[in-house]
Structure formats: structure tokens, C-alpha cells
Amino acid sequence: MGRDDQRQAVKNIPLEQLKPFKNHPFQVRDDEEFRHLVESIEIHGVIHPAVARQIGEECYELISGHRRKAACEVLGYSEMPVLVRSMTDDEAVVNMVDTNLQRETILPSERAFAYKMKLAAMSHQGRKGFTSAQLGRKCVGKESRELIAEQVGQSRNQISRYIRLTELIPEILEMVDNRKIALNPAVSISYLDKKQQKLLYKVMVALKATPSISQAKAIREKASESDFTEDYLVSILSEKKPNQREPMIVEEEIKQYFPSHYNSEQIHNTILLLIRNWSKKRGYTQ
């Protein structure tokens, strides 16, 4: 489509007719970046039109522009400029992922599902002999993961690691997004089945601990054995990590107020939390 055709295809479309992309992996978060977008649109309007494809009478599927639509809704606008294009399902997925990967901040979960969706779409294109316009070459001849890696400036293995995150249960994936679990330990955890992951999550919450890389690898190796139990997970997550401080010594008269399975580190953390809350309530700290 030439520039003249693109300009002719841009039109103002009511927000109610713009539907989100199916299984869109990118969140619209009310963060500083989004607030800057709202301010910019309020002052300058929507400078870059959203992109959508028509999927029915007076109904369009957004390919890019979900945050711009949300910003327009915050400002009370009833419509926004949209570039309407004709795309196949696979072309729409590739376009949606590529445009959204240009965001400043992307969560690991967003990147994971985006890579997975694009990989599936590019694999379809490769089998059909289509050309990926974004990459300027056919998908056949090079594996799709390698092509994605070239485009985003990461290794093929890193693409695979991110895609593995899609096998995590939502609770653990959220911990990855919140930087409570690093990428590599999370990848090892992803090889546990859903029941094992739920058990691990339960133990992590109870102990307020997450596995190191070596612990996560050990947990993965143990997953196929019959003694993969809650007791095993408690024991391995209670191991002292190299960078951990020496645990405090807890007197017996203090221990009596805590569950019997609490170790010294857990008691220390609980006492510290209680003291912080007490201090805040009295205005001693912020």
C-alpha cells in the first residue's frame, strides 16, 4: 500500500467500533508512560493513527493503538483516527506484535506471549511460502525463532526462554513480571506440571522465598520423582543462599507466638513487617 493509499484509508472511527485484538498480550497499564500519552493526546491530538482491519459491518479489530484508544477514552473522546488495512490473520498477528514491541517498557509475560504468537504466525507463513514484510525475506530457509531473534536483537535461545514462560501458571508468571523471580529460574520452573507449580507457589508464599538458579534446576530435576513433595520444596527453599545474611537467633519465648514450621528467617521477616506497620501507624516513618 503506497503513502497516498494509506492517507486515503485513514478515517475517524467511533471508539465503540474498535475491538481489541484477539488474545492481545500487551496490557494497558495506568503508569507514567500512559499518563504522558494522555497528556500528549490532550495537547496535540492523536498524531499517529491506530491500525485496524475491518472484521464486520461497522466493526474493526485493532492491530496497534490499544493504548491510544484507552487514552482517548480517558479524555472523553468519541472517535480516533485509524488506518484501515486488509490483513490475513497471520499478517495481523505479526504486525500487532512488531508495533507493540516498540514500547518503552514491556513485561516479561507480554514479551513471552507476543513471541509465541508471532512464532506461530511466521511458521504458518513459512509453510505457505509467504514473505514477512517486516523482515524482508521469506520465513523458509531460516527457522522462525532465528528470524525473530534477528529482528529484536536477542539470541535464538533467549527467544525460546521467553516462550517457555507461557507454560507458567498465572501466579508464578506474575512473580516474574514483578521481578520476584528472575528469567532463568522461571524457565526451569516452567517444566513442572501445573499441579507441581501450584504446590511450589504455595511453598514460596509460605516461606516468602523464591528459588535461585541452582535451586530451580534441582526442583526441575526432582519433578519426575515420586518424592516431589511439599516437604522437599520447603527443605530446598529453606537452604541458605550464598548472598543471604546469617539468620537471627530467635529465643524460645518468641517462637511460641509463631507457627511451629516457621524458621528463624521467617520469624525475623514477620517481626520486621510488624514493626514497620507499627511505626507507620504512629507516624514515625513514611
Side-chain angles (χ1 to χ4, degrees), residues 35-232:
R35 289 189 286 274
H36 286 164
L37 176 62
V38 172
E39 293 174 2
S40 175
I41 291 178
E42 185 175 24
I43 297 172
H44 306 290
V46 179
I47 299 175
H48 302 289
V51 177
R53 62 173 181 167
Q54 190 162 3
I55 56 175
E57 187 175 352
E58 296 186 340
C59 186
Y60 302 83
E61 183 179 45
L62 272 176
I63 306 299
S64 67
H66 294 78
R67 290 191 307 157
R68 276 164 282 176
K69 180 193 174 188
C72 287
E73 290 173 336
V74 168
L75 293 168
Y77 296 173
S78 61
E79 58 183 22
M80 67 182 290
V82 179
L83 173 60
V84 180
R85 288 177 171 171
S86 176
M87 299 183 192
T88 66
D89 290 345
D90 291 331
E91 289 170 341
V93 167
V94 171
N95 194 293
M96 180 275 296
V97 170
D98 286 350
T99 53
N100 281 280
L101 282 177
Q102 298 173 14
R103 291 184 179 186
E104 291 182 18
T105 55
I106 303 174
L107 296 175
S109 63
E110 295 174 326
R111 196 177 293 276
F113 283 100
Y115 288 164
K116 185 175 183 178
M117 291 178 70
K118 182 172 181 177
L119 179 64
M122 290 176 65
S123 297
H124 295 158
Q125 290 180 330
R127 286 196 292 269
K128 297 172 184 177
F130 291 165
T131 298
S132 172
Q134 285 72 27
L135 294 170
R137 68 187 75 181
K138 286 190 175 182
C139 292
V140 291
K142 275 194 176 183
E143 189 185 347
S144 298
R145 289 174 196 253
E146 188 176 348
L147 294 172
I148 295 175
E150 287 182 4
Q151 184 186 16
V152 300
Q154 295 183 339
S155 69
R156 178 187 178 282
N157 288 339
Q158 189 75 338
I159 300 298
S160 297
R161 291 189 190 98
Y162 273 109
I163 293 176
R164 278 301 314 178
L165 298 184
T166 63
E167 302 298 326
L168 292 171
I169 60 173
E171 296 88 347
I172 296 181
L173 186 56
E174 184 177 0
M175 295 179 77
V176 179
D177 281 341
N178 293 333
R179 298 183 178 181
K180 294 180 179 179
I181 301 179
L183 177 63
N184 287 334
V187 169
S188 291
I189 293 171
S190 73
Y191 286 93
L192 307 181
D193 63 35
K194 303 305 180 185
K195 184 178 179 180
Q196 292 172 330
Q197 288 188 40
K198 289 179 180 179
L199 181 59
L200 174 60
Y201 176 73
K202 174 186 174 183
V203 173
M204 288 192 295
V205 171
L207 297 182
K208 296 182 180 179
T210 57
S212 64
I213 295 177
S214 60
Q215 289 173 332
K217 288 181 178 179
I219 291 172
R220 175 185 174 182
E221 293 172 359
K222 194 75 170 180
S224 60
E225 300 179 16
S226 59
D227 56 345
F228 184 93
T229 62
E230 182 174 343
D231 288 342
Y232 164 74

